[in-house]
């Protein structure tokens, strides 16, 4: 809010122009603030309603983590080994994805070699960081990644084919595998 100085000319009783300009500025500022509040009110109401609905129907991160842990526990108890296999596959996939996305980090920490003798520890090789950032790794990484990917795809196609054959034959997948994969030798 701006300050208005009242300067009255004592000779003729007229009000100074600075006073009128300041008064109009203050009035227009108040009107602009009221107009801005009126314009922003529907948006603020919608935002408040959205926040309320979000808090009612979308669980917080802690609640979601708790729900996820409860279901994982329930599924692991009910499905046992099948759930564990799924977990292993998921963990393997995450490890492969992390490895692919890691970029040029071709290094690991070698723990070193030491042995006790005569009451003392003798260190053969100290702990060190081994860097494999060289031209050989630049070639091997994409080649080995492609080979591993092809093997995973081939394994998945074989498993999917076995499942389709098991479903078409009327047996469950595990009965199909137990029976020798659908061969007529048994």
């Amino acid at each position: 809010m701006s300050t208005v100085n009242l300067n009255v000319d004592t000779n003729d009783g007229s009000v100074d122009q600075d006073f009128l300009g300041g008064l109009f500025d203050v009035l227009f500022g108040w009107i602009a603030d009221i107009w801005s509040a009126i314009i922003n009110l529907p948006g603020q109401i919608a935002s408040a309603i959205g926040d309320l609905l979000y808090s009612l129907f979308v669980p917080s991160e802690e609640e979601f983590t708790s729900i996820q842990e409860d279901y994982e526990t329930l599924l692991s108890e009910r499905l046992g080994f099948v759930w564990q296999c799924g977990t292993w596959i998921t963990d393997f996939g995450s490890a492969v994805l992390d490895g692919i996305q890691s970029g040029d980090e071709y290094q690991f920490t070698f723990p070193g070699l030491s042995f006790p003798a005569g009451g003392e520890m003798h260190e053969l090789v100290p702990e060190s960081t081994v860097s494999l950032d060289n031209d050989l790794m630049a070639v091997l990484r994409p080649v080995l990644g492609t080979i591993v990917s092809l093997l995973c795809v081939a394994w998945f196609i074989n498993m999917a084919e076995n499942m389709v054959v098991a479903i078409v034959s009327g047996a469950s997948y595990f009965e199909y595998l137990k029976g020798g994969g659908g061969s007529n030798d048994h």
Side-chain angles (χ1 to χ4, degrees), residues 7-20:
N7 295 328
V8 177
D9 189 2
T10 55
N11 295 339
D12 61 0
S14 65
V15 178
D16 190 11
Q17 291 297 328
D18 289 339
F19 171 75
L20 288 177

Side-chain angles (χ1 to χ4, degrees), residues 9-185:
D9 189 2
T10 55
N11 295 339
D12 61 0
S14 65
V15 178
D16 190 11
Q17 291 297 328
D18 289 339
F19 171 75
L20 288 177
L23 183 63
F24 284 132
D25 286 344
V26 170
L27 288 175
F28 284 133
W30 286 344
I31 292 171
D33 290 345
I34 291 171
W35 181 253
S36 176
I38 291 171
I39 296 295
N40 292 333
L41 186 63
Q44 291 173 347
I45 291 172
S47 177
I49 291 172
D51 291 344
L52 176 67
L53 290 174
Y54 185 83
S55 67
L56 286 175
F57 296 110
V58 178
S60 66
E61 187 172 339
E62 295 84 22
E63 292 170 335
F64 186 72
T65 303
S66 174
I67 291 170
Q68 179 185 7
E69 289 172 357
D70 291 344
Y71 276 108
E72 284 179 353
T73 302
L74 176 68
L75 289 173
S76 68
E77 289 172 356
R78 303 288 178 166
L79 298 177
F81 179 72
V82 174
W83 176 258
Q84 189 63 40
C85 286
T87 304
W88 290 340
I89 291 170
T90 304
D91 292 346
F92 175 72
S94 296
V96 168
L97 184 61
D98 290 343
I100 290 171
Q101 294 175 343
S102 67
D104 295 332
E105 298 174 7
Y106 302 122
Q107 65 183 11
F108 64 93
T109 301
F110 182 72
L113 295 173
S114 59
F115 63 93
E120 294 180 12
M121 286 298 280
H122 298 283
E123 187 174 46
L124 290 176
V125 180
E127 178 179 320
S128 60
T129 300
V130 178
S131 176
L132 299 174
D133 191 14
N134 54 36
D135 292 337
L136 178 65
M137 282 305 293
V139 171
L140 281 180
R141 184 173 184 183
V143 170
L144 292 176
T146 303
I147 292 170
V148 169
S149 297
L150 289 174
L151 289 175
C152 289
V153 167
W155 172 77
F156 177 75
I157 290 172
N158 183 33
M159 183 183 68
E161 179 189 11
N162 289 341
M163 286 184 174
V164 168
V165 171
I167 290 171
V168 169
S169 70
S172 74
Y173 179 69
F174 293 113
E175 289 173 354
Y176 176 80
L177 288 179
K178 189 170 131 183
S183 66
N184 294 327
D185 296 337

